[in-house]
Amino acid sequence: MKMKKICFVLSVFFVLSSCGNDDDNSLQEADVTFSFNHNWDGTEVTSLDFNTIQYTNANGEELSIERLRYLVSRVMLTNASNQEYILSDYNLIDVGTEVGLTFTGETEIPTGAYTMSFIFGFNNQDNIDGAYLDLNSTSFNVPMMLGGGYHYMQFDGKYINTSATETGFNYHVIRAVDNPGTNPIFPQDTFFEVDLGTINISNDVSIEVEMNIAEWFRSPHIWNLNDLDTVLMPNSSAQIMMYDNGQSVFSLGTITQ
Amino acid sequence: MKCLKLLFVTIIVCTACTNESVQRYQPTPLQLDIPPLFEQNILAPIIPSDNPMTVEGVALGKKLFFDPMLSGDSTQSCASCHAPQNAFTDDTRFSDGIDGNFGNRNSMPLFNLAWNYDERFTWDGRELSLERQAFEPVSNPIEMHSNWQEVTAELQNDSEYPELFDLAFGTSTIDSTLVTKALAQFERTLISGNSKFDRHLLGQETLTPEELNGFDVFMDEARGDCFHCHGNANNPLWTDNIFHNNGLDATFTDLGLGAVTGDPTDNGKFRSPSLRNLVYTAPYMHDGRFATLDEVINHYSEGLQASPTIDPLMKKVDQGGVQLSEQDKVDLKAFLLSLTDDAFVTNPDFQNQ
């Protein structure tokens, strides 16, 4: 009986002491949440829009989206004295199953001014073959004979080709490689850093990132799916074009705090 | 959040204080025997918190799995369609239920089930856990065609079962939930991870040049491109456990996932099976249409059928596929057979006594 009473008193004490600051509005530290939204030239894209040929790319090809998963890593805020706050080491976003679209940093961030950035894919140092159990479990790997490591993006769908047939495309972004195997040659890096600009954090904040999917097909290279639809992983020049086109894909959306 | 965590801790502290003096029988906890490559490469298996693995639970589940008492006329057990020597499937195209009725689905091999992370079981994903799946065959009219009242009554009147349930679950009152829990525990111990290819990855065995080329065909996006759905050297399950239409038919008699979700864009999609132990699991595909691996490989190479839901990973569909060379076909088959785990089908722990 005595024990029970002590427990009760203790738990009341804990509850009171821990919940104290929750609705205090002059925060010292804030929770930061990232959300990834997707659009086709401004029209929102969610899993509900999958599987129907309804988008037209810059080259005039009509297409559908059936699968769209991609990796972002080193999602971080950097303050004026170059101190980095990593909100996520890496995060796999699967638009089709709606997994990973939103995440909150595990640690709170001191309020203040920051620049926001993330890496699309993995940088070479992080792109370690087989190193991430969750990504292995969901088969996001790139086989050794295609260079190893992980996909940066797996974007599959169908388009109507010049002979009016519905055909699959596999726009898979990986680290560009020639001569994969024991003596691989890496012509150029194909991960890239996305700089989202600056933010002044004064409270818990939610930051939206927008991916305009149409940009993957637009600039600087107008993507011709009839030429480049499948087997793009071993095609290092296609990978470099994806890298080029990727530069304009992401932008900062709404910030709420 | 912080507050919740603390509350949680205090709750644990409180319950711990009150339970101190109570002593109850506990069955013996059992650790799954996880193969090294699984341990190193993929996430831990799924064990539901309300059905922990125990030595007594697994022993009971095994006995039930092989016991024809679970069927309407006591002629059929789970093992009738899921036989150890066939990597826990059967060798017929459709399985023969107790009344001689055949379903329209090929039986499935049972192994590495605890690593089906989404817990969507059967070809079309309609069963949402192993426990729930085990409810189904007993009463299914084209399978064991019994009913749970009769089965549990029979088990209750048996000379051994009440005691075994008591040991496994601390109660000798038998109900269908406990039967399915025991079956699921046994099924989770069916682990296959010791094939020639596994030993090759562990540096214990060397593959032949044919097997190595077959592995390359499997991984090459321009040739097999099997890895996007069937795993890779870092995913020892050799399946993604996800639903795809791999181009078997232009029109569907069995809608597969589409019948479960009601979404026509899911029509003709079935769960990718693991490619381990294929030598024991013929015939192949959800309807057992292919008797041999050569037929399967020919299908992917030149037999693809276009349909609106065919997976975009299926290439050159208008030509039936990527037209593998004869050598690549032979080697691909050799690689697939290197995923055979003979020790699994002869494992004494998995045999009927």
Side-chain angles (χ1 to χ4, degrees), chain B residues 277-298:
Chain B
N277 301 317
L278 290 169
V279 74
Y280 301 115
T281 64
Y284 306 106
M285 305 298 169
H286 69 274
D287 54 4
R289 69 176 65 193
F290 298 132
T292 65
L293 280 181
D294 301 299
E295 287 174 51
V296 172
I297 291 170
N298 288 340

Side-chain angles (χ1 to χ4, degrees), chain A residues 19 67 136-137 141 158 233, chain B residues 3 41 43 221 235 310-311:
Chain A
C19 295
R67 198 179 289 117
N136 299 343
S137 300
N141 310 78
K158 297 203 183 89
M233 294 171 74
Chain B
C3 176
N41 288 303
L43 298 174
E221 215 192 2
N235 184 330
I310 190 172
D311 199 286

